[in-house]
Amino acid sequence: MPVEFLGIAATNDGSETTPRSGVSFDKEYTLRLARAHEDHGWDRVLFAYGSGSPIPAAAAGYLAAKVGSLQILLAHRPNVSYPTYAARTFATLDQISDGRLTVHFITGGSDHEQRREGDTLTKDERYARTREYIEIVKKVWTRREAFDHEGEHYRFNDFVSDVFPVQEPHPGVSFGGSSPAAYAAGGAEADIYCLWGEPLAQTAEQIEEVRRAARAAGRADLPRIQVAFRPIIAPTEELAWEKAHRTVGAIRERRAGGPSLTRRHSAGSPENTGSQRLIAIAEQGERFDRALWTPTAAATGGAGNSNALVGTPETVAQALLDYYDLGVDILSARGYDLLDDAIDFGRYVIPIVREEVAKRDRERAERGPQTLERTLSGLAVAG
């Protein structure tokens, strides 16, 4: 199966290790970073969402008009706009980008962060709302006749849009989460299901949970799987590990210096299951499988995509291929020096993975597909 690479569409050069050098929305940097991805083999970039941050839909529209082939994954929280409005925003962006838009719907894992923009629903209520929201957005994208909606969270009458996406039947829907409620909602509605990087065995278990939820929802198709990592690469293993330890030191120093880095997260223990899982894995050990390293996640309190893959480009590429062999066909990666790391990863890691994927696909075509059950069995024996 084809493999795709997702990078980051940051609007400034700040990261967990380095404070930004200018304004929050630096147009020149945003475009420079996107073009670096486009020029070095990446398929799409993510515009993330945070309260107080630049509006990702507007930034995505700016970028879509400036780059020629790079696809866009746009993060969106249902609490910030009515679904009929959001659906038209997305359709307009799909028109601007000539069909290069995918929308990532964020339910919200922190009550504290959600309340910053007036969202007072509980976590379970938010998942129910997100599922209803996605259903409405899909209808607005595809229906040419007016319709009514009477749901738990939204009610309206006689609505029909006059702007429709380029993509048929509609842009892709992306979703993430590691709780049963997330599996149920995303399994039912998502074209792409997003996971944070965990050890291979746990990732395989999560993939099966997503697939089980999709089947329970009556789907004949299954969501594609995306897994996210923070690669730390260098020409030799020794240099890569030295770089990894410097990176963790820089993260800790920044977090100790003030609240700006943790603005999106509450000061206490994380509420979302995904972050809790990352912390639990870090407590079990620092290194897993071929190259997974957990101290970066531990240093951030399990904040978002934070587990690293450490090693030479060849080592990191082989580690990514291990996930591909589980059924992961979208690999998300983001370094700590956003621009230079995107270029290095594109130059030295992506070509290895693409070449090996083509080789694996040829071999699988010859011997038949390898099932997830066989892969899990192999992991259990190896463990």
Side-chain angles (χ1 to χ4, degrees):
M1 59 185 174
V3 65
E4 296 183 9
F5 289 91
L6 170 69
I8 190 70
T11 59
N12 59 70
D13 62 356
S15 76
E16 296 93 330
T17 61
T18 309
R20 73 179 190 231
S21 61
V23 295
S24 179
F25 183 29
D26 182 335
K27 291 192 298 182
E28 288 72 22
Y29 182 84
T30 300
L31 183 57
R32 184 181 177 196
L33 180 61
R35 285 178 172 162
H37 282 86
E38 188 170 51
D39 292 343
H40 291 88
W42 299 78
D43 297 285
R44 60 167 61 94
V45 289
L46 165 67
F47 276 99
Y49 189 97
S51 64
S53 299
I55 301 299
Y62 164 76
L63 193 65
K66 298 286 186 178
V67 298
S69 62
L70 192 66
Q71 299 175 57
I72 293 169
L73 178 60
L74 175 66
H76 178 76
R77 287 183 185 168
N79 61 292
V80 300
S81 66
Y82 211 72
T84 51
Y85 177 87
R88 287 177 290 141
T89 300
F90 305 146
T92 304
L93 285 171
D94 202 50
Q95 292 283 346
I96 293 170
S97 67
D98 295 321
R100 287 179 281 135
L101 180 71
T102 300
V103 183
H104 180 67
F105 291 90
I106 302 175
T107 298
S110 164
D111 291 345
H112 182 72
E113 168 69 3
Q114 294 300 121
R115 287 178 182 141
R116 285 172 171 155
E117 294 189 281
D119 187 4
T120 59
L121 297 185
T122 66
K123 183 178 178 181
D124 286 345
E125 290 171 335
R126 291 198 298 268
Y127 273 111
R129 179 185 60 191
T130 300
R131 188 165 178 175
E132 183 180 347
Y133 196 97
I134 295 172
E135 291 171 353
I136 294 169
V137 167
K138 287 180 177 179
K139 288 181 180 178
V140 174
W141 279 341
T142 56
R143 292 203 176 180
R144 265 57 176 178
E145 296 181 355
F147 66 98
D148 302 337
H149 180 83
E150 186 77 18
E152 181 181 357
H153 298 280
Y154 302 102
R155 297 170 181 82
F156 55 86
N157 301 102
D158 195 39
F159 181 84
V160 64
S161 178
D162 194 34
V163 57
F164 295 94
V166 171
Q167 298 177 72
E168 295 288 349
H170 54 69
V173 168
S174 174
F175 193 90
S178 297
S179 67
Y183 298 143
E189 298 294 340
D191 301 300
I192 298 170
Y193 200 97
C194 306
L195 302 169
W196 289 332
E198 295 187 4
L200 290 165
Q202 286 92 325
T203 300
E205 290 167 359
Q206 288 208 81
I207 292 172
E208 186 52 35
E209 288 293 336
V210 172
R211 291 175 172 172
R212 185 178 296 116
R215 295 185 188 103
R219 292 180 58 172
D221 63 328
L222 297 175
R224 300 174 65 194
I225 302 297
Q226 172 184 303
V227 178
F229 303 96
R230 306 301 296 272
I232 300 174
I233 63 173
T236 68
E237 295 291 331
E238 182 180 6
L239 289 173
W241 285 104
E242 288 177 2
K243 182 179 178 181
H245 288 288
R246 287 197 307 272
T247 298
V248 167
I251 293 171
R252 291 172 178 159
E253 184 176 349
R254 279 215 69 201
R255 287 179 66 87
S260 60
L261 185 62
T262 57
R263 178 65 185 162
R264 294 185 190 177
H265 306 275
S266 60
S269 300
E271 301 166 18
N272 63 305
T273 305
S275 292
Q276 292 169 2
R277 288 174 64 101
L278 294 186
I279 291 173
I281 291 167
E283 290 172 348
Q284 295 169 17
E286 291 192 353
R287 297 179 66 170
F288 293 85
D289 304 319
R290 193 186 300 266
L292 191 74
W293 196 55
T294 64
T296 46
T300 62
N305 169 24
S306 49
N307 268 341
L309 292 176
V310 182
T312 64
E314 292 77 11
T315 296
V316 170
Q318 292 301 322
L320 291 169
L321 287 161
D322 291 337
Y323 288 89
Y324 175 82
D325 289 338
L326 291 182
V328 177
D329 65 342
I330 303 176
L331 300 169
S332 174
R334 171 164 55 101
Y336 292 93
D337 182 332
L338 301 181
L339 181 62
D340 287 346
D341 286 348
I343 293 171
D344 286 346
F345 188 89
R347 282 176 174 168
Y348 304 118
V349 178
I350 289 178
I352 298 174
V353 175
R354 291 200 192 280
E355 181 178 351
E356 287 297 321
V357 163
K359 178 180 177 182
R360 278 164 161 74
D361 286 351
R362 289 192 299 269
E363 293 174 349
R364 283 175 177 167
E366 293 172 357
R367 70 173 187 266
Q370 181 183 40
T371 65
L372 181 61
E373 288 77 17
R374 286 172 58 193
T375 303
L376 278 170
S377 176
L379 285 170
V381 172

